[in-house]
Amino acid sequence: MPALTGELPENDIHLIKARLLANAALNEYIGPEIHASPTSDEWGALGQAEIYVSYGEYTRSLQSMKHSGISFFALPMDQVPAIYWHLLFPQPYWKELVANAGSNGLDPYLVASLIRQESEFNAGAVSPANAYGLMQLLPSVGKSVAKKHGMKGFSTKQLLDPSTNLELGTINLKQVLDRFGGQPEYALAAYNAGDTPVRQWLATNDYKDVPEFVESIPYTETRDYVQAILRNREMYRALYPAR
């Protein structure tokens, strides 16, 4: 692990050039330019991510941190400068997120953690499975929730609007939670794998507790998904304590 710094070398010619490249929307050259600096191991990941955030590109910033090659989670939290954690766990759309979570009795940290895992806060994301937006809603789910809650004239493209996606997505998440007795671990597994497999797992096994259920999820993707969101939630709680 390099000795990470929370300060950028403002006079470094490669950082200056990288910012100019960002101004020209030449994003593909930003990383190589930064890494041309002989000291970039100490600040390069931070520099690249902060450049993207300065343009409101939280998804690109988060992805650059994830792909930096730095094993952030291999270190104690207090040994990594706080700015890195805030870039890894950003708060775009936070006011709307908290408002919609509150309207549905949801933990906003759970909602943020799910979004981080589903779309990395990319409001325009469309998955190979045809799931849309921040909370990756299927058009059929969006249509059903919109109809039930009196949203007239719904169209699939509205799911790419972050406000609409958060509104419908939090309602849908609440419904999933309610179907599984409010237990987040079961609901997250169902959000990823569907209700039917989760009910089968619960019916055919006698788990001593919820953590054992999570560890025993037979779908590797779903098991990793649930564990990642639970970790994300604890990180959000630690970084942004509720007032």
Side-chain angles (χ1 to χ4, degrees):
M1 286 289 292
L4 300 176
T5 176
E7 301 292 333
L8 295 178
E10 297 297 336
N11 295 324
D12 188 292
I13 187 62
H14 297 286
L15 177 60
I16 293 169
K17 286 183 178 179
R19 286 172 171 161
L20 292 173
L21 288 166
N23 287 339
L26 296 171
N27 289 336
E28 65 269 30
Y29 299 108
I30 294 172
E33 183 60 49
I34 285 176
H35 292 298
S37 171
T39 61
S40 65
D41 282 353
E42 301 173 7
W43 59 269
L46 174 62
Q48 188 171 346
E50 288 213 319
I51 286 173
Y52 291 137
V53 165
S54 70
Y55 288 90
E57 296 189 27
Y58 290 94
T59 300
R60 196 183 294 271
S61 170
L62 174 56
Q63 290 173 343
S64 73
M65 292 292 281
K66 284 184 174 182
H67 300 154
S68 66
I70 300 173
S71 301
F72 294 103
F73 296 102
L75 292 174
M77 189 173 178
D78 59 2
Q79 288 188 23
V80 177
I83 183 60
Y84 288 84
W85 294 121
H86 287 281
L87 289 166
L88 280 162
F89 295 90
Q91 290 183 291
Y93 314 109
W94 193 249
K95 186 175 180 180
E96 287 181 282
L97 186 156
V98 170
N100 282 286
S103 297
N104 291 284
L106 297 174
D107 175 2
Y109 300 117
L110 180 66
V111 176
S113 300
L114 183 144
I115 292 172
R116 184 184 186 275
Q117 194 67 22
E118 285 284 350
S119 68
E120 297 177 324
F121 295 95
N122 180 4
V126 180
S127 77
N130 205 38
Y132 280 67
L134 293 174
M135 298 186 71
Q136 289 290 275
L137 295 175
L138 293 171
S140 58
V141 172
K143 182 178 180 180
S144 173
V145 175
K147 182 178 180 180
K148 184 175 180 180
H149 290 270
M151 183 182 292
K152 297 181 179 180
F154 172 80
S155 65
T156 296
K157 67 179 182 181
Q158 287 179 272
L159 294 176
L160 298 178
D161 173 71
S163 296
T164 302
N165 195 283
L166 282 169
E167 180 182 356
L168 298 179
T170 49
I171 293 171
N172 176 58
L173 179 58
K174 172 63 173 173
Q175 291 174 348
V176 179
L177 272 163
D178 287 346
R179 292 200 296 270
F180 288 91
Q183 189 67 49
E185 290 83 353
Y186 302 159
L188 292 173
Y191 202 97
N192 180 260
D195 285 19
T196 301
V198 176
R199 295 197 185 283
Q200 290 175 343
W201 301 334
L202 290 171
T204 57
N205 292 278
D206 185 20
Y207 302 106
K208 66 180 181 181
D209 53 25
V210 175
E212 184 183 5
F213 164 79
V214 174
E215 292 291 340
S216 303
I217 293 173
Y219 295 178
T220 301
E221 176 189 329
T222 301
R223 183 172 62 253
D224 292 345
Y225 173 89
V226 173
Q227 291 173 335
I229 293 177
L230 296 176
R231 180 208 64 194
N232 292 351
R233 181 182 63 180
E234 296 312 306
M235 292 298 298
Y236 270 105
R237 286 176 174 173
L239 290 169
Y240 310 104
R243 296 179 182 176

